[in-house]
Amino acid sequence: MYFRPIRLFKSLVIFTCVVIVTYEIYRLLLHPTHKLSLVRHDDTPSILSSKDGFEYISDNLEPFYIPLPNFSDDEARNWFYSSSYYKVNSKKCPHGSCEEKGVFFNDTKEHLSVNIFLVKNGLYLNDDCGYNYGDNATKRTFKIPDETTVIYDKAILYPVPDGWSFQHFLDGIGPKLSHSRSYLQKYPDAKVIILEGVRFDRSVKEIWSMLGVEESERIIHYSSSMKIGARLLINPCRTPGIHPRLWQDARKMYWSISGLPNPISQSKRNNLIYIQRTATNAMNGARLILNEEPFIRVLRDYSTKYSLNYVQYDHSKDKDHIRSRIELFYNAKIIIGVHSGALSNMNFAQSGTTIIEIMPYKSDSSSLPMTCSMFRPENIQACAGYILYTQARLLNQSYWILPIVVNAEGNLNVDTSRVQKLFDQIE
């Protein structure tokens, strides 16, 4: 047997290469250098270091459907099928049919891609907080203090339009909080940036407080003249405005901070809640039910027949802590009301809750909600008038639409026979 040094040398080289490759694969699996899967709920991922001080956490969610509304009669069905919303979005239905599953949403940037950016010496300059947040803006930094008007050690961005109001906290900030709340807890000294507004709704202050964010200590009301720098800027803005997971996770967050369990069954829900709109509580005026007495009688009779607790809810008279309201709507079986921001309380209601939206519209703009009457009916574009329908479906609730024409003052008489017919169809 002869000693062959060349063969031994080759064997050593091969063995060394195998060891190196194996180590690199192991290292990459344990310590990825670019993206991390988004960690849900309260498990904050570690911040990775990088030479330029910029890291991001990204997750691609699953495509989803938004089912069409439920219709109690042909009048409701025909109105919706003539709407600009349907004309725009029906093109997204598989095989051109929306009845089976609904509208399909699968645009990566607009609907699926969830991101959190972590920037050392980050600089915020009044950028729009949404899925279109620009690449350059996410990486913007300051080099000297003169480039800023204020520098914080840590700051978290939630400057969504009108996020100081109850309605737009829920539909704008809530979905972003659902995947970034853990940073509020990990950095209890971090400032929270929201847009300055004409007011700061008490209910919004109370939700922030339950999340451990006191206005006097952490909230910064941002104005466009400010140039905010932070030694660590945490930016969850590039998040889809709509996705079932984000909205349902936000709902679980509201329940959790209110001490309510994630429900296993829906058997204990027993509230029928009428969200009352009056001349004194309507901030935008109009959309008042003129024949409210017979309308309420239908609701009370139904509640009595099915042993439900009838609740007439007027938000302007609600002086309790938001925690009580969350519990009230958590126990809702049916929520009914005219299109208004107060219907946003459905965000606290369970999956399977019946939502009935009375949709006011003008006869000369018959395919548009009254709130979209600034558009022309023939213009094929969606408007914000359908946001409550979208929310209900994202929350896996049973949504019914009842279009009613308004008079010259923008108020309406509800056809109680149509309401009764709708209630007869509720399962």
Side-chain angles (χ1 to χ4, degrees), residues 146-365:
D146 287 348
E147 296 175 341
T148 71
T149 55
V150 62
I151 298 175
Y152 300 111
D153 184 48
K154 302 177 189 71
I156 309 177
L157 294 175
Y158 297 105
V160 304
D162 299 331
W164 43 265
S165 70
F166 174 70
Q167 177 182 357
H168 297 301
F169 174 89
L170 293 175
D171 64 31
I173 293 179
K176 296 171 177 54
L177 267 173
S178 72
H179 73 97
S180 61
R181 175 192 173 191
S182 54
Y183 290 97
L184 297 176
Q185 300 167 325
K186 183 172 183 178
Y187 302 115
D189 59 337
K191 301 299 183 183
V192 173
I193 313 300
I194 67 172
L195 289 186
E196 184 179 44
V198 297
R199 64 181 189 274
F200 190 25
D201 284 355
R202 175 176 60 88
S203 55
V204 178
K205 292 181 189 179
E206 290 170 348
I207 293 175
W208 278 120
S209 179
M210 289 194 293
L211 289 166
V213 179
E214 301 297 340
E215 180 184 15
S216 60
E217 298 172 3
R218 297 182 65 181
I219 290 181
I220 305 299
H221 297 275
Y222 179 86
S223 65
S224 58
S225 62
M226 298 172 69
K227 301 176 182 179
I228 290 184
R231 297 304 177 189
L232 177 62
L233 186 64
I234 302 166
N235 183 350
C237 282
R238 193 186 285 181
T239 298
I242 58 171
H243 194 284
R245 187 180 121 183
L246 298 176
W247 283 73
Q248 292 176 33
D249 282 356
R251 178 175 59 183
K252 289 177 185 176
M253 176 182 69
Y254 305 135
W255 292 343
S256 174
I257 60 179
S258 302
L260 297 170
N262 189 16
I264 299 174
S265 69
Q266 304 170 8
S267 58
K268 294 183 179 180
R269 298 176 301 135
N270 65 345
N271 291 338
L272 187 158
I273 304 176
Y274 165 44
I275 297 181
Q276 188 177 35
R277 185 177 176 89
T278 68
T280 56
N281 73 12
M283 294 184 180
N284 298 319
R287 289 178 269 155
L288 308 179
I289 297 179
L290 300 177
N291 61 329
E292 190 176 50
E293 186 175 338
F295 171 73
I296 289 176
R297 192 178 306 122
V298 173
L299 306 185
R300 286 188 177 276
D301 288 348
Y302 184 89
S303 299
T304 300
K305 181 178 180 180
Y306 291 98
S307 302
L308 298 177
N309 178 35
Y310 174 74
V311 178
Q312 199 160 294
Y313 181 77
D314 180 343
H315 69 87
S316 67
K317 297 178 181 178
D318 185 355
K319 306 304 180 185
D320 293 334
H321 193 279
I322 187 65
R323 186 181 292 107
S324 298
R325 195 193 317 174
I326 293 173
E327 184 174 2
L328 174 70
F329 283 88
Y330 173 88
N331 288 309
K333 188 175 184 65
I334 299 172
I335 302 170
I336 184 170
V338 178
H339 176 93
S340 71
L343 271 172
S344 296
N345 285 291
M346 72 173 73
N347 280 271
F348 309 136
Q350 299 178 35
S351 294
T353 301
T354 295
I355 309 296
I356 304 170
E357 181 179 14
I358 299 172
M359 182 67 81
Y361 68 93
K362 295 181 177 180
S363 58
D364 58 350
S365 302

Side-chain angles (χ1 to χ4, degrees), residues 60-66 89 91-94 102-113 131 240 242-244 394:
N60 278 331
L61 305 179
E62 292 293 321
F64 62 97
Y65 291 89
I66 291 184
N89 289 294
K91 301 172 185 176
K92 302 174 185 175
C93 298
V103 180
F104 186 56
F105 293 87
N106 67 340
D107 182 272
T108 299
K109 183 178 180 181
E110 185 175 356
H111 306 130
L112 310 180
S113 182
Y131 69 87
I242 58 171
H243 194 284
L394 292 173

